[in-house]
Amino acid sequence: MKIFDTQLKGLLQKLDQFEEDFEDASRMLAQSILGDGAVYWYTEEELDGIFLQTQMGTDAITKSARIEECTEAHPIDTALFFAKSGESEELRAALEKVAGMTTIVFAPKAGAATEGASFVIETGVTRGLIPMEDGSRVGEPHLLMALQAYYRLYFLVTEILEEYA
């Protein structure tokens, strides 16, 4: 657990290098919420926990829907993507579906699929954090890092929305 905690703290600190992106992305997201736009979510596998947070969590973001519900991309809308890879064809297709709106991608690393996104914030989870004796690695905290990123964005958006309340 000490190894996991140490490695996780390192990943959390690396999120600090995206502070400007978080601030700019939160302004765009707040504009969607204030300007009668929609907020769409794309999540992969266990990262679906992020969408559940946006819908049922105490700290939910209003006007949220799954990206599949988007029938037409409007410039006032924002789409958030939580992916386990910046190279996924599914991610690329989802980004293309919402071309024209603000897109915020959270992925371990930027990749070919993230080109053209408005913002790409790297979570840094590219492998397990704990080495095992057989050479494998365990403990890939994709959801944990995604929730951390979500809360950074959520707190900034909440602060902006309070100014306009």
Side-chain angles (χ1 to χ4, degrees):
M1 199 60 205
K2 285 185 180 184
I3 293 170
F4 184 81
D5 285 345
T6 301
Q7 296 294 319
L8 185 61
K9 286 176 187 171
L11 289 174
L12 292 171
Q13 289 174 344
K14 287 182 181 179
L15 279 180
D16 291 340
Q17 68 188 352
F18 296 98
E19 185 175 348
E20 268 187 49
D21 290 318
F22 274 107
E23 289 173 4
D24 292 343
S26 66
R27 279 192 281 279
M28 298 305 291
L29 181 55
Q31 284 180 3
S32 291
I33 294 168
L34 290 168
D36 289 329
V39 180
Y40 295 105
W41 299 85
Y42 169 91
T43 56
E44 295 177 348
E45 299 173 17
E46 70 264 28
L47 296 175
D48 203 40
I50 296 297
F51 184 73
L52 294 175
Q53 175 65 40
T54 70
Q55 296 298 292
M56 296 180 256
T58 303
D59 301 320
I61 291 182
T62 60
K63 300 182 182 180
S64 292
R66 289 194 184 276
I67 202 157
E68 294 83 9
E69 296 176 44
C70 177
T71 56
E72 188 177 343
H74 298 281
I76 191 68
D77 298 338
T78 299
L80 295 98
F81 301 80
F82 286 85
K84 290 176 66 173
S85 169
E87 303 290 339
S88 132
E89 284 303 314
E90 293 83 11
L91 174 60
R92 181 191 314 272
L95 276 162
E96 288 173 1
K97 177 180 180 174
V98 295
M101 68 173 71
T102 299
T103 51
I104 307 166
V105 176
F106 298 90
K109 289 182 127 182
T114 64
E115 290 176 14
S118 308
F119 303 95
V120 178
I121 297 173
E122 297 179 359
T123 62
V125 182
T126 57
R127 62 184 182 162
L129 302 183
I130 301 173
M132 303 303 287
E133 288 184 24
D134 66 359
S136 64
R137 299 181 75 86
V138 297
E140 290 186 35
H142 290 284
L143 181 57
L144 200 55
M145 288 301 295
L147 281 168
Q148 178 70 20
Y150 170 80
Y151 270 104
R152 285 183 184 220
L153 195 66
Y154 174 81
F155 293 140
L156 289 166
V157 168
T158 300
E159 189 176 306
I160 293 167
L161 294 177
E162 282 181 346
E163 291 176 20
Y164 292 95

